[in-house]
Amino acid sequence: MLVKEKKVKKDSEIVKIAIAEGDGIGPEIMKATLKVLKAAGARIETESMALGEQVYLAGNSAGIEKNAWEVISRNKVILKAPITTPQGNGYKSLNVTLRKSLGLFANIRPVTALHPYVKTNFPQMDVVIVRENEEDLYAGIEHQQTEDVVQCLKLITRPGCEKIVRYAFEYAKVYGRKKVTCMVKDNIMKLTDGLFHNVFKEISQEYPEIKSESQIIDIGSAKLAANPENYDVIVTTNLYGDIISDIAAEIGGSVGMAGSANIGANVAMFEAIHGSAPDITGQKIANPSGLLNAAIMMLAHIGQSEIADNIKNAWLSTLEAGYHTADIYQKEVSVKKTTTDEFANEIIARLGNKPKKLSVSEMSKGSGTIQIPEYKRKVTKKELVGVDVFLDWQGSDPQWIGGELEKIKTHNLKLKMITNRGVKVFPDGLEETYCTDHWRCRFVALEAKIKRKIPVYQTIEFEHIMALLSNLNQKGFNVIKTENLYEFDGKRGFSLGQGE
Amino acid sequence: MLVKEKKVKKDSEIVKIAIAEGDGIGPEIMKATLKVLKAAGARIETESMALGEQVYLAGNSAGIEKNAWEVISRNKVILKAPITTPQGNGYKSLNVTLRKSLGLFANIRPVTALHPYVKTNFPQMDVVIVRENEEDLYAGIEHQQTEDVVQCLKLITRPGCEKIVRYAFEYAKVYGRKKVTCMVKDNIMKLTDGLFHNVFKEISQEYPEIKSESQIIDIGSAKLAANPENYDVIVTTNLYGDIISDIAAEIGGSVGMAGSANIGANVAMFEAIHGSAPDITGQKIANPSGLLNAAIMMLAHIGQSEIADNIKNAWLSTLEAGYHTADIYQKEVSVKKTTTDEFANEIIARLGNKPKKLSVSEMSKGSGTIQIPEYKRKVTKKELVGVDVFLDWQGSDPQWIGGELEKIKTHNLKLKMITNRGVKVFPDGLEETYCTDHWRCRFVALEAKIKRKIPVYQTIEFEHIMALLSNLNQKGFNVIKTENLYEFDGKRGFSLGQGE
């Protein structure tokens, strides 16, 4: 896989772009953005497609129709204005669908302070959040299986971790960033977040010129909120990234001004981070900066970094000159409250200018191209050593259910422990532990040595699990789910119960 | 269940308290704290117990021995100094074990600005975070079942949601707070976070005098970081609460000064939020404020609110008078850099005083007691309508595996769809979707009407699932886990695949 991000100038190349005008202020800011791009000589050819509110309301619950998928397939690069998801149940998040269906594994959110034109407590802030975009809890796999308990699966994958962590380091290298910070919660989630952190440590070795550091997400979020200027590039999983990229945008003051990129192996999508703002739709006062910044990231991505720099510097110069849309108008620093179109014209008038106070954009001075190798799956020896069987049982005495389960005679399996919400309640639980109707019962091989400080498991066959399930069912236990227990190259691939 | 929080003064009652001196600066700040409590006439009787580093290093991987559990059992209220968890694998988080084993369902973290004695950008900040403390991803149930994919279970329960949401509203009522804000991510996690949000909406109806509002956690975290003075009480799940309580403490400047409470039905634990600070251990310069604030919360909890107010106001007066330990010493506002013991003496000297600039503590002016009723499980009709079977398959073509699974003839079940990391890849997937070795295959009753816009499922028997698993296993498919699909009172208890 080669992520199509080039620094080489190819004058002749016209890049095809799929355009989604969006809803609300979308068409207004798209028009202004494309006007600026055209004036700056962006070598792009656009094709429009319909996404969003009208498609939803026409009865398509995903908000996107087949012909839009075809436009995306033809163009590969998408510039997308904000869309409106209608109120009510059954409408699916179009952004989630696009990100996941198109394999847009990386969400990139730069936040740079624009003080004093946009006020912030942190005028030195200049951080880029690289968020994993496809997996984690956002896989949305949820099951209610007892009256009390609902479950969502958090899925973290090695290919997902490798791609996003490498993207972060490649991004840092190509754009001249100095440090990448990893934020996860692997002190609690040792296998899932532990995998992300381990991959981070592995890949960071290949980039000795870039500083790397790791923080626990709770402390990291707090330190980001208090001292964002201490961060450069941050890489994290989907949910954490969602939270911290909103924090960064909010404290940097840039919610209405920032763009973001969603990068995949073959397709990339660029958009403003703000919404469709139906309250000011049609008034011609919307600030096009968010979408314009997305377009600037897009131009850099498709190898037109010099044009991207030119537009960015003209935009920064316009802010400095005091031509501001209503949302950022301040008496002290503004000279004129502009319409959307006037703002675009002021930017166009400043093409070729560079800002004097704000940092000059120099994306075209970077070197190298972002490259992400294909994931290579390792070959490991995987052995089945047990099963967690989850029961729906409305009783409350772990001793009783533990005793009953110990009595069950099945081919080759014995009960090791029972947990309730992760806490061991059998054997040797505490009476203070509150128990729901959701009991996780761990069975391992009869000959497994489980009394040792570090237990030694033994291989079992899937047929043994089948026999156990059948036996449990016959005895009236309500089996609601199973999780097999595996060792990989002899290493335990499952967590212990709390108190185990 | 009655949470033992009283506002009624009972002069005669001496309350027994289990004391954990902790590690590092723990014993020093505990000594200072108990000295202040004694001087203020706190009606407590203490019993010490050993927890933490020494217990870990003696070979107990949980950091707590049987006699400490007995001390807790006898005393029910715990005042705990910070402990040190030794480096290395295999040591379990003592705090997680205590919280979960003792059913400490609520973590309470007040953050009040102490500006200018402790600097902050938000001098008006006064927020209390009420964090669910037992469940969510912190149940720590993790499984690696394929080479690529590791999974952690997020468990959200109705009793857990009801307890924490009601605690938040009761807390607001008893302590005179005006608003409770719910923060979750139910636009993505509609069943799990949706349950929390629904319970919040239900219970808020019973407290019409308290304002209630809901925010998505990413936006909420961002707004908290930018404008914390807009929040009063925030209630949320375990992971989100972990993140936002650290954000609040950090931007409020109170990490070294704040206490927290962990509340259960029968046991409650009070501690400082900071760590054991081994770097300054033994120098007699540690700031005891964090543990003292925890002790103040403890006194209010056991019905000695007037003594709690007296100590809190003396402490605030000491800060105003400029007697500061080294960590908060500032030339502009401090008059003396005190030792731990001197700081305690200055507080004692000011018992009876009230602060002049900082807000006066008036916990004893609240009314009512915090009461949480027993959870009553509803009776619903639960019907098995299908199963998600997860396969480990290292191929890459969803059409192939989909075709093979459609061919499988089993009693009463048919393939509905396959997802990979939550995205539908069969039937009608997109070729851009990246596939791992982790395939979720949904089977439903043969006669289920799945082509309808809103599918109609049909009841199946557990034996049908057994037959399917057996069949899959015989055909060489590697079944790694199952999740049964249920309807509750006819309502679907499982999420759809993205693109389904």
Side-chain angles (χ1 to χ4, degrees):
Chain A
M1 180 173 64
L2 170 65
V3 174
K4 186 192 175 189
E5 186 141 359
K6 306 193 190 78
K7 290 292 168 184
V8 186
K9 194 176 162 184
K10 291 192 186 171
D11 276 331
S12 57
E13 195 184 357
I14 302 289
V15 180
K16 293 170 73 178
I17 309 286
I19 297 286
E21 287 199 343
D23 303 312
I25 58 169
E28 301 166 45
I29 59 176
M30 181 62 82
K31 190 178 163 197
T33 296
L34 291 178
K35 184 177 185 181
V36 175
L37 263 60
K38 191 178 173 192
R43 297 185 296 282
I44 60 172
E45 181 189 318
T46 62
E47 180 176 9
S48 290
M49 59 180 173
L51 289 184
E53 193 171 26
Q54 294 312 314
V55 183
Y56 281 120
L57 294 177
N60 183 313
S61 68
I64 177 166
E65 284 177 341
K66 200 167 171 237
N67 58 355
W69 287 119
E70 288 163 3
V71 174
I72 292 170
S73 187
R74 272 198 295 278
N75 290 274
K76 308 290 187 200
V77 179
I78 307 167
L79 182 63
K80 174 175 160 289
I83 60 128
T84 303
T85 307
Q87 292 292 313
N89 289 323
Y91 296 113
K92 287 173 209 160
S93 162
L94 179 58
N95 265 20
V96 173
T97 300
L98 285 172
R99 287 175 191 175
K100 298 201 66 171
S101 299
L102 298 173
L104 307 179
F105 65 86
N107 177 255
I108 315 299
R109 283 243 212 138
V111 179
T112 309
L114 298 166
H115 199 80
Y117 312 105
V118 179
K119 281 185 183 163
T120 170
N121 286 325
F122 311 105
Q124 301 307 313
M125 180 175 182
D126 180 16
V127 63
V128 179
I129 311 229
V130 177
R131 164 186 171 195
E132 199 290 317
N133 216 9
E134 293 186 285
E135 51 192 48
D136 195 358
L137 289 152
Y138 291 21
I141 306 175
E142 296 186 286
H143 296 87
Q144 178 179 3
Q145 295 173 332
T146 72
E147 176 56 32
D148 290 356
V149 181
V150 191
Q151 167 197 281
C152 183
L153 300 186
K154 168 170 169 153
L155 300 180
I156 300 291
T157 79
R158 179 166 270 276
C161 295
E162 288 188 2
K163 273 190 285 192
I164 195 68
V165 169
R166 188 170 297 280
Y167 192 88
F169 279 100
E170 287 279 306
Y171 183 98
K173 196 178 76 173
V174 169
Y175 289 95
R177 298 266 171 175
K178 305 278 183 274
K179 184 173 73 169
V180 180
T181 304
C182 170
M183 289 191 192
V184 285
K185 185 77 188 174
D186 60 323
N187 56 337
I188 298 286
M189 287 167 272
K190 292 180 185 181
L191 298 187
T192 47
D193 285 11
L195 173 61
F196 192 96
H197 192 187
N198 285 339
V199 167
F200 179 81
K201 285 186 277 191
E202 284 166 29
I203 290 180
S204 66
Q205 301 296 313
E206 299 175 36
Y207 299 85
E209 73 280 16
I210 296 164
K211 202 180 158 199
S212 66
E213 65 179 11
S214 298
Q215 295 178 347
I216 300 293
I217 184 66
D218 46 339
I219 298 162
S221 304
K223 292 194 179 297
L224 175 68
N227 300 107
E229 61 281 355
N230 291 345
Y231 294 90
D232 192 350
V233 175
I234 301 174
V235 64
T236 186
T237 55
N238 204 338
L239 170 67
Y240 307 143
D242 194 5
I243 294 173
I244 66 170
S245 54
D246 272 18
I247 292 174
E250 187 78 30
I251 65 175
S254 70
V255 172
M257 309 278 272
S260 82
N262 291 283
I263 308 287
N266 304 307
V267 178
M269 178 170 77
F270 300 84
E271 60 188 335
I273 70 168
H274 60 73
S276 57
D279 53 322
I280 58 162
T281 297
Q283 296 179 34
K284 302 182 179 177
I285 59 168
N287 185 341
S289 298
L291 190 61
L292 185 67
N293 272 309
I296 289 166
M297 294 173 80
M298 177 189 81
L299 291 173
H301 179 78
I302 60 174
Q304 302 181 19
S305 303
E306 290 187 1
I307 300 167
D309 280 338
N310 191 12
I311 297 173
K312 180 84 175 254
N313 288 325
W315 174 71
L316 293 168
S317 303
T318 304
L319 292 180
E320 287 186 349
Y323 292 88
H324 297 156
T325 46
D327 56 309
I328 57 168
Y329 182 87
Q330 305 169 65
K331 265 187 192 154
E332 313 87 65
V333 291
S334 303
V335 300
K336 188 183 174 189
K337 194 182 287 182
T338 69
T339 64
T340 308
D341 191 53
E342 287 166 352
F343 187 66
N345 291 338
E346 293 295 336
I347 297 168
I348 291 167
R350 283 173 185 77
L351 285 167
N353 290 14
K354 286 187 178 167
K356 288 173 186 69
K357 294 176 203 162
L358 297 168
S359 297
V360 174
S361 176
E362 295 187 323
M363 285 181 281
S364 57
K365 293 217 173 151
S367 66
T369 64
I370 290 181
Q371 298 205 22
I372 313 287
E374 282 285 354
Y375 169 66
K376 286 201 188 80
R377 187 174 288 142
K378 284 178 206 151
V379 178
T380 50
K381 190 179 171 198
K382 175 180 164 186
E383 288 178 292
L384 182 64
V385 299
V387 62
D388 284 347
V389 179
F390 291 68
L391 301 178
D392 179 349
W393 181 60
Q394 299 207 344
S396 60
D397 181 9
Q399 294 304 314
W400 185 88
I401 191 171
E404 290 299 306
L405 292 178
E406 279 190 329
K407 273 188 241 163
I408 285 190
K409 299 273 176 281
T410 62
H411 189 63
N412 198 32
L413 291 175
K414 65 182 172 191
L415 181 69
K416 182 173 191 296
M417 64 147 184
I418 304 175
T419 70
N420 199 296
R421 292 194 296 179
V423 178
K424 192 186 71 172
V425 293
F426 183 88
D428 307 325
L430 285 168
E431 63 180 281
E432 284 86 355
T433 305
Y434 179 84
C435 290
T436 66
D437 56 7
H438 192 264
W439 304 80
R440 185 260 299 260
C441 309
R442 175 161 290 177
F443 291 87
V444 297
L446 270 182
E447 65 272 29
K449 297 180 182 67
I450 57 176
K451 305 261 163 162
R452 294 190 184 181
K453 200 170 168 191
I454 297 171
V456 178
Y457 298 94
Q458 296 289 335
T459 306
I460 64 165
E461 301 295 327
F462 188 73
E463 283 79 4
H464 303 151
I465 295 177
M466 295 290 299
L468 171 66
L469 296 180
S470 182
N471 204 328
L472 288 167
N473 187 50
Q474 278 165 27
K475 294 226 162 34
F477 287 102
N478 187 351
V479 174
I480 53 175
K481 61 168 289 190
T482 62
E483 300 278 357
N484 293 359
L485 307 179
Y486 294 97
E487 288 183 345
F488 291 82
D489 284 345
K491 207 178 149 212
R492 176 166 51 82
F494 49 91
S495 59
L496 302 177
Q498 279 153 3
E500 188 180 353
Chain B
M1 179 173 65
L2 171 65
V3 174
K4 187 194 177 189
E5 185 142 358
K6 307 194 188 78
K7 290 291 165 184
V8 185
K9 195 175 161 186
K10 290 190 186 174
D11 277 333
S12 56
E13 195 185 357
I14 303 289
V15 180
K16 295 169 73 177
I17 308 287
I19 296 287
E21 289 199 339
D23 303 312
I25 58 170
E28 301 166 45
I29 61 175
M30 182 61 83
K31 193 179 163 195
T33 296
L34 292 178
K35 185 179 184 178
V36 174
L37 263 61
K38 193 179 171 191
R43 297 184 297 280
I44 60 171
E45 182 189 318
T46 62
E47 181 176 7
S48 290
M49 61 180 172
L51 290 183
E53 192 171 27
Q54 294 311 313
V55 182
Y56 281 120
L57 294 177
N60 183 310
S61 67
I64 178 166
E65 284 177 342
K66 201 168 170 233
N67 58 356
W69 287 117
E70 288 163 4
V71 173
I72 292 171
S73 188
R74 272 198 296 278
N75 291 273
K76 308 290 187 199
V77 179
I78 307 167
L79 183 63
K80 174 173 160 288
I83 60 130
T84 303
T85 307
Q87 293 290 313
N89 289 324
Y91 296 112
K92 286 171 208 161
S93 161
L94 179 57
N95 265 20
V96 173
T97 300
L98 285 170
R99 286 175 191 176
K100 298 203 62 170
S101 299
L102 298 171
L104 306 179
F105 65 86
N107 178 257
I108 315 298
R109 284 242 209 139
V111 178
T112 310
L114 299 165
H115 198 79
Y117 311 106
V118 179
K119 281 185 182 161
T120 170
N121 286 326
F122 311 105
Q124 301 306 314
M125 179 176 183
D126 180 16
V127 62
V128 179
I129 308 216
V130 177
R131 165 187 169 192
E132 199 290 319
N133 217 9
E134 294 187 284
E135 50 193 52
D136 195 358
L137 289 152
Y138 291 21
I141 306 175
E142 297 186 286
H143 296 87
Q144 178 179 2
Q145 294 174 331
T146 72
E147 176 56 31
D148 290 356
V149 181
V150 191
Q151 166 196 281
C152 183
L153 300 185
K154 168 169 170 153
L155 299 180
I156 300 291
T157 79
R158 180 166 269 277
C161 295
E162 287 188 1
K163 274 190 285 191
I164 196 68
V165 169
R166 189 170 297 280
Y167 192 88
F169 279 98
E170 288 279 304
Y171 184 97
K173 195 179 76 173
V174 169
Y175 290 95
R177 298 265 172 177
K178 305 276 181 275
K179 184 173 73 170
V180 180
T181 305
C182 169
M183 289 191 192
V184 285
K185 185 78 188 174
D186 60 323
N187 56 337
I188 298 286
M189 286 167 273
K190 293 180 184 179
L191 298 187
T192 48
D193 285 11
L195 174 61
F196 193 95
H197 192 188
N198 286 339
V199 168
F200 179 81
K201 285 186 276 191
E202 284 165 29
I203 290 180
S204 67
Q205 301 297 314
E206 300 175 37
Y207 299 85
E209 73 281 15
I210 295 163
K211 201 182 160 199
S212 65
E213 65 178 12
S214 298
Q215 294 178 349
I216 300 293
I217 184 65
D218 46 340
I219 298 160
S221 303
K223 293 197 178 296
L224 175 68
N227 300 106
E229 61 280 357
N230 291 346
Y231 294 90
D232 192 348
V233 176
I234 301 174
V235 64
T236 186
T237 56
N238 205 338
L239 170 67
Y240 307 143
D242 194 5
I243 292 173
I244 65 170
S245 55
D246 272 19
I247 291 173
E250 187 79 28
I251 64 175
S254 70
V255 173
M257 310 278 272
S260 81
N262 291 282
I263 308 288
N266 304 305
V267 178
M269 178 170 79
F270 301 84
E271 60 189 334
I273 69 167
H274 61 71
S276 57
D279 52 320
I280 57 161
T281 298
Q283 296 179 36
K284 301 180 180 177
I285 58 167
N287 185 342
S289 298
L291 189 61
L292 186 67
N293 272 311
I296 289 165
M297 294 172 81
M298 177 188 80
L299 292 173
H301 179 78
I302 61 175
Q304 302 181 17
S305 303
E306 291 186 0
I307 300 167
D309 280 338
N310 191 9
I311 297 173
K312 181 83 174 257
N313 289 324
W315 174 70
L316 293 168
S317 302
T318 303
L319 293 180
E320 287 185 348
Y323 292 88
H324 297 156
T325 46
D327 56 309
I328 57 167
Y329 183 87
Q330 306 170 62
K331 264 188 193 152
E332 313 87 64
V333 291
S334 304
V335 301
K336 188 184 173 186
K337 193 182 287 183
T338 69
T339 64
T340 308
D341 191 52
E342 287 166 352
F343 187 66
N345 290 338
E346 294 294 337
I347 297 168
I348 291 167
R350 284 173 183 78
L351 286 166
N353 290 13
K354 286 186 178 168
K356 291 174 184 71
K357 293 177 204 160
L358 297 168
S359 297
V360 174
S361 176
E362 294 186 326
M363 284 180 280
S364 57
K365 295 216 173 152
S367 67
T369 64
I370 290 181
Q371 298 205 24
I372 313 288
E374 283 283 357
Y375 168 66
K376 286 200 189 81
R377 186 174 290 142
K378 285 179 204 149
V379 179
T380 50
K381 189 179 171 198
K382 176 181 165 186
E383 288 179 292
L384 182 64
V385 298
V387 62
D388 284 347
V389 179
F390 290 70
L391 301 178
D392 179 350
W393 180 59
Q394 300 207 342
S396 59
D397 181 10
Q399 294 305 316
W400 185 86
I401 190 170
E404 290 300 305
L405 292 178
E406 279 191 328
K407 273 188 241 163
I408 285 191
K409 299 272 177 280
T410 62
H411 189 63
N412 199 33
L413 291 175
K414 66 181 171 193
L415 181 69
K416 182 173 192 298
M417 63 148 184
I418 304 175
T419 70
N420 199 297
R421 293 194 297 181
V423 178
K424 191 186 71 168
V425 293
F426 183 88
D428 308 323
L430 283 168
E431 63 181 279
E432 284 86 355
T433 306
Y434 180 84
C435 290
T436 67
D437 55 9
H438 192 264
W439 305 80
R440 186 261 299 262
C441 309
R442 175 161 290 177
F443 291 87
V444 297
L446 269 182
E447 66 272 30
K449 297 179 182 67
I450 57 175
K451 305 260 164 163
R452 293 190 186 183
K453 198 168 170 193
I454 296 170
V456 178
Y457 299 93
Q458 296 290 334
T459 307
I460 63 164
E461 301 297 325
F462 188 72
E463 282 78 5
H464 302 151
I465 295 177
M466 295 290 299
L468 170 66
L469 296 180
S470 181
N471 204 328
L472 288 168
N473 188 50
Q474 278 165 27
K475 294 228 162 35
F477 288 102
N478 188 352
V479 175
I480 53 175
K481 62 168 287 187
T482 63
E483 302 278 357
N484 293 0
L485 307 179
Y486 294 97
E487 288 184 344
F488 291 81
D489 283 346
K491 208 179 147 208
R492 177 166 50 83
F494 49 90
S495 58
L496 302 178
Q498 279 153 2
E500 188 181 354

